[in-house]
Amino acid sequence: MSNTPMAASPLTRAVLEIDEYVSGLGWDQPARLFALVDTARLRAQEPALAAQLGLEDEQESSGLTPIEQEEIPAGKPLDEFLGTIAWPDAVAGCALTVERLMLPPSAEAQVPEGLSDKKLSQWVANHPDRQEVRMTVAVLRDGTRDSALRLREKDSPTEVLTGGALVPGLAEALSATFED
């Protein structure tokens, strides 16, 4: 994609490509799951699919191609859904994009004790310092991780934060989808 830096690792480029794609759909989107496949392997083994994805003329040989999966079932907790996934060997990694409300660390001391998950969600949603954030987290079979975070109030490709340790819990859950 146009805003993806070429000097970045293949995983970082895939994360930023997914972030750019989902940002084009707007906010208030459901979670989206992507398989990450080796682009050269895809072109060699599935030329028709590669052509459909517009990859037949790409010069790069070490990239990852994100392929969006079926919609995540509404109403099913994300951790339960991820526990049902098993990837075929052709999938090198996976990525998930999800929107959440977050609070700055300064608000942690204000969280009331003993709230149920539902009450805590309501409390966060009503907090004046809440931030809407879109997280794109990707993992490879070998354990490599990368993430992109985009705040709704700073919704610009130049304001996307990247790093491998930004969303460790979600990265762990995605890595578990590759365990036997």
Side-chain angles (χ1 to χ4, degrees), residues 1-6 13 16-18 20-22 58:
M1 293 227 163
S2 59
N3 293 323
T4 305
M6 292 311 296
R13 286 194 307 271
L16 290 172
E17 183 177 330
I18 292 167
E20 186 175 349
Y21 163 72
V22 174
E58 283 200 19

Side-chain angles (χ1 to χ4, degrees), residues 85-99:
I85 296 174
W87 298 103
D89 290 339
V91 175
C94 66
L96 181 78
T97 183
V98 63
E99 295 177 12

Side-chain angles (χ1 to χ4, degrees), residues 9-77:
S9 74
L11 186 59
T12 301
R13 286 194 307 271
V15 164
L16 290 172
E17 183 177 330
I18 292 167
D19 173 75
E20 186 175 349
Y21 163 72
V22 174
S23 73
L25 301 173
W27 283 87
D28 304 317
Q29 295 292 314
R32 295 176 186 277
L33 181 67
F34 298 82
L36 299 176
V37 297
D38 179 270
T39 302
R41 183 175 176 185
L42 177 65
R43 281 197 306 258
Q45 295 179 352
E46 298 286 343
L49 178 57
Q52 183 180 353
L53 296 172
L55 303 173
E56 69 272 36
D57 294 329
E58 283 200 19
Q59 302 300 315
E60 187 179 341
S61 61
S62 64
L64 294 166
T65 298
I67 300 175
E68 189 170 3
Q69 303 301 290
E70 292 183 25
E71 193 170 302
I72 295 174
K76 186 168 192 168

